[in-house]
Amino acid sequence: MSYKLQENMRFIKQIIIYLLFLTFALPLPMSAAMQSSNYIIYENVMHSFDGPVISGVSSLVSGAGATISWTTNVAADSFVIYDTDSNFLTSHEQGNSAKTFTSHSVSLSGLAESTTYYYRVRSERVNGGITTDTASRSFTTGSTAVPPEEEEAEPAGGGGILIIDKTDKTAPEISNVAATRVSSQSAAISWETDEAATSFVEYGRDAGYGSTYGAWASSTEHNVILDNLDSEQRYYFRVLSSDAWGNVGYSEQDSFTTGEAVGEEEEVVEEEDEAGILADAAQIAFDFISRIFPAVSLNLRPDEMDRINNVEDLQSLVSAPVLSGEPRVEIGATEATVYWTTDIESNSQVAIAPIDRYNPGANEPYLQVVGNLEEFVNDHEVTVYGLTPDTEYHYQLRSKAEFGPTSRSRDFIFNTSLEELSITSFFPQVVDDQTAIFKWVTNKNSDTALTFAPYEGNVLAVDKAKTFQDNALTVIHEVTVSEFVGGTKYKVELQSMDEKGNIAAEEFDPFSTAEDDLPPKISHIKADSTVFLDRGDKIQTIISWLTNEPSTSRVYFKEGVHGSLVDLTESTRLNIDYSKEHVIVVTKFKPGLVYSFRAESTDSGGNTSLSKVHTFMTAKKQESIIQMIIRILGDSFGWIRKII
C-alpha cells in the first residue's frame, strides 16, 4: 500500500473516531446547541409544555352561590366551566385570567336556587400548557341566598355576576312574521311574541345572513325597518327576540325581493332653444376671457386663437391632474378605502363595479361613482360602502381640478375579504354604582365573553381581572356585572368568538358606574355622494363621523347654505345602533345642490352631541345642455378668479 494511500486511510479513521465521540461521549442531547451555568439555547424553540397538575378540587356552597377551589403545581390562571346539564351542552365560565397563582378560588354568582350544577376546573400556565379537570363533579345550591361575610379580598380580586342561569328558561314564542312595505331600498319586518322581548332581524343575500339589525326595547309587537337594500335583490331573513331572562326565540327562515329602482324625472328643455342658448352663453364667456387675457396667457400663438371656438375648447388646453401610480387600498368585507395623490389640487372620485357588472366595452364600464366633487386636495381618500364580501371589484380613480379635464386611471382590481365577525350596537347601561348591563350584537352566531379589571393609581390591575363567558352561540349578547365600586375606573372588554374561531372585540376604557354627564365627542365628519349609473343616475349621499363612545346616529339637513342659528328642519331616521363609527345613507338629496347638515349622536346615558353645521354639494346627474352651460361658466369664472 502506498504511503499516500496510508495517509488518506489514517485521515478517514480520525474523522470516524471524532464523529463517534460526538455521538456517544457528549452528555448533552443534540437539541442543546449551547449551554452555560446561566442559559441553555435549544435548537427546538417550539417546545410544548404540559399543562399544570390540578389537585384538591372542592366546592363550598353558600345559599345560591358557590366557591370552587383547587391547586396547581405551577402558576396558572383560574376558570370554572359549569352547567345544569352533565354533558355541558350550554356551558358557562367564570374565572380570572391572571396566570400568577398556584392556589385558585373562583366564586360563582347568579346561580339559580335549589339547582344542581356540574362543573370542571381549567388552568393554563404562562407558556401555554392547559389542563382541564375531567372528573365528574357537582354541587347543589341552597334555597335561600346567604349574604357573604366580609373578609379581606383575595389577590385574584374582581367581583361580579353574570346573569345566565335563570328561573325562566322558555324562549319567547314568535308568530305572524311578515315582510311588508317592501320597496326598492327598504322593507319592514313585523312579528309578534307571547311575552315582552327585544326585536332583531338577521338578513342577507344568502342563508348565511351576515347582517343583524333591531332594537333592545321590549315589546310583544315588533317592527324593524331594513334600509339601504339593493334593488331587485332577494334577501333571506329570520327574526329573533330575547326576553328579560336572556332566552332567545328564532323564527323560521323567510325571504323577500326588493322592487325595481325608480329614477327621477329628467329636466326637460325645449330642443329649439338649446342651440341658441349654448351658442350665446359660450360666446359671452369666451369674449370675456379674450378681453381680459392676452394670447400668451394661454400659451397660444396669435394664429392659434382661431381654433378656440368655445369654453370647452379652452378647457382642453389645460393639463389634467397627474395621478399617482398604484393606489393604496384598505379592504374589508363590506367596505374599502382608496388613497391616491395628484400633482395639483383636484376632487376625488372612484368608479367601481363588481366583476359581474363591469363592462369594459361600454362608454361607462362601472356601476357607480363615489366621492367628493367639491373638495379639491392633493391627497385623496374615498371610502366605498355596501360591498359584497369575498367579491372581485374593478375600480378607476378620477380627479378633476376646478378648471380643466378629468384624469382617469387605468382599471384596478381588489377582492373584498371574507365576511368578518363584527360587534355592533354595543353599550353599557348603568343600573347603580355596583351594577351595569352590557349589551352588544354580532353579525354571526358567536359566544359571549366579558372581562373587566380595575385601575389602581392610574395603572390597570391586570391581576384583578375577571372574565365571564357564556358558550351558547347567539347574535344578541347581554351580560350583567354586579359589585362594581362606584367612582372606580375599569377597563371592560367585550368579546365574541364564532364556531370557526374568528374573534371580534370592543372595549370601554375607561368605564365607571358613576353617572355619565358628558356627551359624545363628534369628529372626522365626511360627506360623499354616489351616482348609481345603472339606476337612472340615482344620487346617494353617505355622511360618516366618529364618536369617542358608542352612541346613536342621526343627521339633520336643509337645502342651501345656513348658519348655526337656522333650524335644519329635515332629518334622517334615528339609528339606534350604538357605535363609535357612524354611517348614514341619505337618498332624499337632489342632485347638484348645496345642503347644510349637522350630525347628532346620543350615548346610553341620554347625553346628546350636535356637530357644527357642515355644507356640501351633491353629485350631479348626467347633464342637460342647460346644466352643462352653467357648469362651464362656473368653472371658467372660478379659473379666472384663480389667475387674477
Side-chain angles (χ1 to χ4, degrees), residues 335-407:
E335 63 184 61
T337 302
V338 185
Y339 303 88
W340 74 97
T341 60
T342 51
D343 63 329
I344 59 174
E345 291 186 346
S346 51
N347 59 26
S348 313
Q349 286 190 297
V350 172
I352 189 168
I355 187 172
D356 60 337
R357 306 293 293 274
Y358 174 62
N359 184 3
N363 291 332
E364 177 53 79
Y366 300 92
L367 177 64
Q368 66 184 85
V369 181
V370 184
N372 191 329
L373 289 172
E374 304 306 316
E375 183 182 23
F376 297 89
V377 295
N378 293 100
D379 297 315
H380 305 267
E381 175 184 340
V382 172
T383 300
V384 186
Y385 297 94
L387 304 179
T388 303
D390 194 24
T391 301
E392 180 178 302
Y393 280 87
H394 288 257
Y395 71 99
Q396 181 186 66
L397 313 178
R398 297 181 181 180
S399 289
K400 181 185 181 301
E402 291 186 86
F403 186 83
T406 300
S407 281

Side-chain angles (χ1 to χ4, degrees), residues 231-232 260-263 352 354 357 364 366-369 531-538 622:
S231 59
E232 302 179 72
E260 182 179 355
V262 179
I352 189 168
R357 306 293 293 274
E364 177 53 79
Y366 300 92
L367 177 64
Q368 66 184 85
V369 181
V531 181
F532 287 94
L533 302 169
D534 68 333
R535 303 181 194 172
D537 292 347
K538 174 188 164 186
Q622 291 185 353

